[in-house]
Amino acid sequence: MVVAKFGGSSLSDGENWRRVLNIVKEGDRQAVVVSAPGARFVGDEKVTDLLFKYASSDKEQKETVWQKVADRYVDIANFFGIDFSSVLEETKLKLTGASVPYVVSRGEYLSARLFSLLSGKKFIDAARVVKFDEKGEIAQRLTYQLIEQSVLQSGQNAVMGGFYGSDKEDNIVLFERGGSDVSGAIVAAAVNAEKYENWTDVSGVFCCDPRIVLNPVFVKCLSFFQMKILALLGARVLHPQTIYPTVKKSIPINVKSIYHPDEDGTWILPTTKKRGDVVGITAKKVVSVEQIEFKTPLTSPTPLLSIITPAFCRAVFDEETFDATKITGDGVLTTTHATLISVVYDGKKNYCPTIKKALEKTGLPANVICDEHGLAACLTAPDKTAEALRTVYKALE
Ligand code: ADP
Ligand code: ASP
Ligand code: MG
């Protein structure tokens, strides 16, 4: 069985929905996972962002924000000449007094309902099959069982919204932002899919973020481990947790573009042949916490990277989610904001000397923190993600 996930960027408007429906119809794609419609142009609001706004608005504003959400689906439904108003009305009525996760999950819920109407695939409500335990983690056995059953009952012809599930009491629980990738991987693992297709708006994984570096090298193939590191350290083409369900069952992930469905895309596989090449370069805004004269190294909350020597511990955290109040460690702690530049590579070559030289030549500081096990990582000035990324890409080209 093939599981195909379509991201918000591929479901942004009617024209893209037509592309997606053709892809699903032409290939043998039995189980589909969809996101909420994303941005149609630079500066456009994603449906998920609108729903977060709805949840924090007062009563009057709510009406305007909901209208914007509803209009996105009405536009798509109109494109295909179908009426979606009753589903929208029924959904709106249930928003009064609903929790924030419930409100926000309606983006993916509505996408799946609309997709079901347009494709004839059976709608599966993720709230019934994707179950979280009391620790907020996926209750794996139960979830896999429920998904497998539902997909079989649909005659292997199903569509589910990504990004949400529910807890024991059936309260809606959201994944992290970008989490439909993880939902798709969970469905793939549950049905033992032969492959997990992740369809998006770019041809696959590039060596660098193509929004920052013009025409970066395309990566045909990389390992699960390399993809996890790249996603964690800044390549947000896939959510970093996408890898876990698929790695356990060795299900290949194929990242593909809805604009070029005949292209092969990028394959993420259990292992790849060592070629001694750079697989990816990322830049991310981070907070670096240094700990000296310590007894216990900082491990909680889990850092992106942590380098521990007998005299010194450095834990690097994602700036977006960093919470200073959660850091409690012994010894002397210093906290600095920085840009983390990372190079993921095959083979044994050490890249840090080249990275350091290139950054310093452009007037940027370079503090090497790791150059082993296929990862070269370096801290540079804060708020210099684009400049640092372009500099390092050019130096390694
Ligand atoms: P979706 O809506 O399909 O989930 P995302 O916006 O989450 O799509 O991810 C796709 C985007 O990731 C691309 O449009 C691209 O700009 C960005 N991106 C960042 N880094 C990379 C990379 N290394 N390779 C490919 N795309 C990348
Ligand atoms: N729609 C959600 C978000 O914007 C989930 C996803 O796109 O994967 O984060
Ligand atoms: Mg995404």
Side-chain angles (χ1 to χ4, degrees), residues 41-245:
F41 44 83
V42 179
D44 190 21
E45 287 173 296
K46 289 174 157 197
V47 163
T48 304
D49 290 329
L50 285 170
L51 289 166
F52 271 114
K53 203 190 238 180
Y54 177 97
S56 62
S57 296
D58 58 34
K59 208 174 162 203
E60 213 171 295
Q61 265 182 321
K62 274 187 171 25
E63 200 51 50
T64 322
V65 181
W66 172 256
Q67 206 44 56
K68 285 189 185 173
V69 171
D71 284 350
R72 295 293 302 270
Y73 294 96
V74 169
D75 279 353
I76 299 161
N78 284 347
F79 183 90
F80 295 98
I82 66 156
D83 184 8
F84 195 53
S85 55
S86 59
V87 182
L88 287 167
E89 267 315 301
E90 176 200 304
T91 306
K92 187 188 173 195
L93 287 176
K94 290 190 181 148
L95 295 183
T96 317
S99 68
V100 175
Y102 181 89
V103 170
V104 175
S105 70
R106 295 307 86 184
E108 270 67 15
Y109 168 84
L110 287 169
S111 280
R113 292 285 307 265
L114 182 55
F115 199 92
S116 167
L117 277 175
L118 293 170
S119 65
K121 286 193 176 290
K122 185 164 186 276
F123 166 73
I124 296 179
D125 190 350
R128 280 198 310 102
V129 295
V130 177
K131 299 300 287 184
F132 287 84
D133 63 20
E134 44 289 321
K135 284 193 233 136
E137 281 158 20
I138 289 291
Q140 193 178 294
R141 260 177 67 178
L142 176 63
T143 296
Y144 284 11
Q145 223 174 41
L146 292 168
I147 291 177
E148 199 186 9
Q149 260 172 22
S150 305
V151 173
L152 282 179
Q153 275 165 13
S154 72
Q156 301 196 346
N157 194 27
V159 58
M160 185 188 95
F163 188 45
Y164 73 99
S166 71
D167 64 15
K168 262 192 182 154
E169 281 80 42
D170 295 330
N171 302 305
I172 297 286
V173 179
L174 295 178
F175 285 88
E176 287 175 8
R177 293 302 303 265
S180 296
D181 290 331
V182 188
S183 308
I186 289 171
V187 174
V191 301
N192 290 306
E194 72 205 59
K195 65 175 164 177
Y196 169 35
E197 290 179 342
N198 191 291
W199 292 84
T200 186
D201 62 343
V202 288
S203 293
V205 180
F206 290 90
C207 181
C208 281
D209 187 337
R211 286 169 300 194
I212 300 177
V213 172
L214 194 66
N215 295 326
V217 170
F218 185 71
V219 184
K220 282 190 189 151
C221 183
L222 67 168
S223 71
F224 283 125
F225 175 72
Q226 288 169 335
M227 188 66 238
K228 185 188 90 174
I229 298 285
L230 283 174
L232 247 154
L233 301 183
R236 295 309 292 244
V237 55
L238 280 188
H239 189 287
Q241 285 167 15
T242 311
I243 306 306
Y244 298 113

